[in-house]
């Protein structure tokens, strides 16, 4: 996977998750030229930071002009300081400043789902749009927003949109949040109810594909929750399209997207109702890494 030598600058992107750290050399067009994956270490902040440094050092050469991180965390607007990470022991850490000092390069940092949205906007399903929303349906639900031709730098905690006033408890402590209703874990729960304790979201999708009405209905309920959340955002800023990715979202496909379109069409106000577009993401598992690379180029170009 080593690329031919190129003179143009490349960057290192890191898609940091609770289970793995994916890193790669990314060029300005968003092509991944080399890629590396290591498990995320358990334990302390020190060990996580050491693993992140190693991931950079393993790819660092004279072509590398900047570093970009996609982190599952809330970031302080303006500074990019990590306030609180999900599934990683990173709290109140200025990773970007730390890396800038350590490696002497421009460093960008973004929430991982926002980085994925940036990638789908620049390089994937959202090319050419000025306003879009992306939902990543994985173990949890994340998202990102592009508004007026710029990635929204706020929290965009789209998994915690309230869909039901009274509903199951979310990991954040709230109730009826989208993450409870439309994540892979929601698929796992529905599968266990239908098929027993060993079933999971994969089972649900397999059964739906085979024509099982119960599985299709369960996925349709998940899609309905997603569509209601999409409509709420459409009613606020009328994005040209909504992109749906993440492992569960990609696997479930139209079993979830079609009911989502119907629900969004029902709940969105006119005339947006007639133009709601919900489409599948195009970049798959690489969205986070490509997005982290694009964040690095933004840092290189002095965009922030
Ligand atoms: Zn929540």
């Amino acid at each position: 996977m080593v690329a031919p030598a190129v003179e143009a600058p490349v960057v290192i992107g890191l898609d940091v998750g609770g289970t793995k750290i994916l890193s790669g050399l990314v060029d300005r067009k968003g092509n991944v030229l080399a890629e590396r994956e290591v498990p995320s270490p358990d334990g302390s902040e020190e060990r996580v930071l050491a693993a992140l440094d190693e991931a950079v050092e393993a790819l660092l050469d004279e072509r590398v002009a900047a570093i970009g991180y996609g982190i599952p965390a809330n970031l302080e607007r303006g500074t990019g300081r990590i306030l609180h990470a999900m599934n990683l022991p990173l709290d109140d850490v200025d990773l970007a400043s730390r890396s800038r000092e350590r490696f002497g390069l421009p460093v960008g940092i973004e929430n991982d789902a926002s980085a994925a949205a940036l990638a789908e906007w620049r390089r994937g399903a959202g090319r050419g749009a000025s306003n879009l929303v992306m939902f990543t349906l994985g173990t949890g639900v994340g998202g990102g927003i592009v508004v007026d031709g710029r990635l929204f730098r706020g929290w965009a905690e789209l998994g915690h949109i309230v869909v039901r006033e009274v509903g199951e408890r979310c990991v954040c402590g709230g109730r009826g949040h989208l993450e409870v209703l439309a994540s892979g874990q929601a698929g796992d729960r529905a599968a266990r109810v239908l098929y027993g304790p060993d079933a999971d979201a994969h089972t649900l999708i397999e059964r739906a594909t085979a024509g099982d009405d119960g599985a299709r209905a369960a996925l349709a309920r998940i899609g309905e929750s997603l569509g209601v959340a999409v409509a709420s955002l459409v009613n606020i800023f009328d994005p040209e399209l909504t992109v749906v990715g993440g492992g569960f979202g990609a696997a479930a496909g139209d079993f979830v997207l079609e009911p989502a379109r119907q629900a969004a069409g029902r709940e969105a106000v006119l005339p947006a109702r007639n133009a709601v577009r919900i489409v599948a993401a195009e970049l798959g598992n690489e969205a986070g890494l490509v997005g982290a690379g694009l964040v690095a180029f933004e840092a290189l170009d002095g965009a922030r």
Side-chain angles (χ1 to χ4, degrees):
M1 294 247 322
V2 175
V6 284
E7 293 307 314
V10 296
V11 297
I12 293 174
L14 296 98
D15 181 18
V16 183
T19 56
K20 66 183 183 192
I21 298 168
L22 191 60
S23 55
L25 287 177
V26 181
D27 73 11
R28 193 174 275 281
K29 289 180 173 169
N31 299 309
V32 178
L33 308 176
E35 201 172 317
R36 189 174 173 275
E37 187 182 316
V38 293
S40 304
D42 295 329
S44 65
E45 175 179 302
E46 207 171 299
R47 292 189 61 194
V48 172
L49 292 174
L52 292 176
D53 290 342
E54 274 170 35
V56 170
E57 281 153 11
L59 292 166
L60 202 57
D61 66 27
E62 68 285 352
R63 296 173 298 165
V64 172
I67 299 165
Y69 296 89
I71 299 267
N74 303 121
L75 304 176
E76 185 176 66
R77 272 176 107 163
T79 67
R81 187 179 186 87
I82 295 172
L83 298 175
H84 172 66
M86 300 293 283
N87 308 319
L88 282 171
L90 295 177
D91 284 288
D92 198 24
V93 188
D94 194 347
L95 174 63
S97 294
R98 187 182 168 281
S99 294
R100 237 172 256 132
E101 268 173 39
R102 188 178 184 93
F103 299 109
L105 292 169
V107 175
I109 187 166
E110 191 48 75
N111 170 273
D112 59 343
S114 287
L118 179 64
E120 287 288 342
W121 174 42
R122 293 288 192 202
R123 305 289 310 153
R127 284 188 302 274
S130 297
N131 297 281
L132 73 80
V133 173
M134 180 177 182
F135 286 94
T136 54
L137 312 185
T139 309
V141 173
I145 295 173
V146 172
V147 59
D148 294 338
R150 292 179 71 93
L151 184 67
F152 173 62
R153 302 291 185 194
W155 283 9
E157 288 284 0
L158 303 189
H160 304 282
I161 291 175
V162 182
V163 174
R164 287 191 201 148
E165 191 182 359
V166 179
E168 258 188 90
R169 188 74 77 178
C170 182
V171 66
C172 73
R175 285 188 184 276
H177 292 186
L178 184 64
E179 178 158 306
V180 178
L181 299 166
S183 60
Q185 290 186 57
D188 291 340
R189 276 199 310 276
R192 285 196 294 269
V193 170
L194 286 167
Y195 309 116
D198 294 335
D200 61 11
H202 297 285
T203 321
L204 194 65
I205 293 163
E206 274 168 25
R207 299 287 180 102
T209 305
D212 182 313
D213 285 339
R216 289 186 178 196
L219 289 169
R221 280 193 295 277
I222 288 172
E224 171 108 353
S225 295
L226 175 64
V228 169
V230 169
S232 294
L233 294 174
V234 167
N235 291 344
I236 296 167
F237 70 100
D238 187 26
E240 291 147 77
L241 81 166
T242 298
V243 180
V244 179
F248 175 65
D254 272 342
F255 290 123
V256 162
L257 296 190
E258 192 47 41
R261 291 178 188 116
Q262 287 176 22
R266 190 183 68 228
E267 302 298 336
V269 296
L270 286 167
R273 175 180 300 176
N274 298 326
V276 173
R277 285 178 63 211
I278 301 179
V279 303
E282 290 181 1
L283 299 178
N285 292 336
E286 281 207 327
L289 178 56
V290 171
L294 296 175
V295 166
F297 275 107
E298 289 195 348
L300 177 62
D301 296 340
R304 59 213 173 104

